[in-house]
Amino acid sequence: MKVPDYFKDVRYVGRAKGARRTYHVFEGSHAYLVVSPNTRGGLNVNPVARKAPDLITKRFHGRHVTSKRLAKAGGPFRAAFAPLNALYVMVALGRASKLKILDGRSMVFSIK
């Protein structure tokens, strides 16, 4: 997919607070975009597959999940940070919440 395609018809969905920063989520025609500030004053932009929230809800509804558990489930969550970005999308959509507990060093999310 070409870079301009990610930014067609983009609208702001919401935000999710991570351990160190806030992530802003946008919905585009081809993917969700997770945007966060970096240490150099710029922005990091990471795409998340449009089907990711439905897959997460289907597999983990009513359960607690970490990015490690999500990565083990396979699908579009194999790339580095893809599972965590997908969970941030879930929080921004109101389909998950970040819990104040940790599983080792991993944040725990409750899937609604």
Side-chain angles (χ1 to χ4, degrees):
M1 183 179 316
K2 295 179 183 177
V3 173
D5 292 340
Y6 284 108
F7 294 93
K8 284 183 182 174
D9 304 320
V10 174
R11 72 175 183 87
Y12 186 73
V13 173
R15 64 183 175 166
K17 291 193 177 195
R20 295 187 181 112
R21 60 183 51 122
T22 298
Y23 297 84
H24 297 273
V25 178
F26 295 84
E27 181 179 14
S29 57
H30 296 293
Y32 290 98
L33 301 174
V34 179
V35 180
S36 63
N38 64 29
T39 57
R40 294 182 217 131
L43 298 172
N44 295 323
V45 179
N46 294 288
V48 173
R50 291 277 308 221
K51 63 183 176 181
D54 291 334
L55 291 173
I56 293 170
T57 300
K58 184 176 178 181
R59 293 182 188 172
F60 298 101
H61 176 71
R63 296 173 52 198
H64 292 173
V65 66
T66 63
S67 59
K68 274 186 184 178
R69 289 184 202 142
L70 192 56
K72 287 180 184 177
F77 312 114
R78 294 176 197 245
F81 296 106
L84 188 55
N85 284 317
L87 289 168
Y88 289 145
V89 170
M90 293 290 289
V91 170
L93 293 172
R95 295 171 67 175
S97 57
K98 184 173 86 72
L99 304 177
K100 293 183 180 186
I101 59 173
L102 295 175
D103 183 1
R105 291 178 39 187
S106 298
M107 292 181 284
V108 180
F109 295 80
S110 176
I111 308 302
K112 297 177 183 178

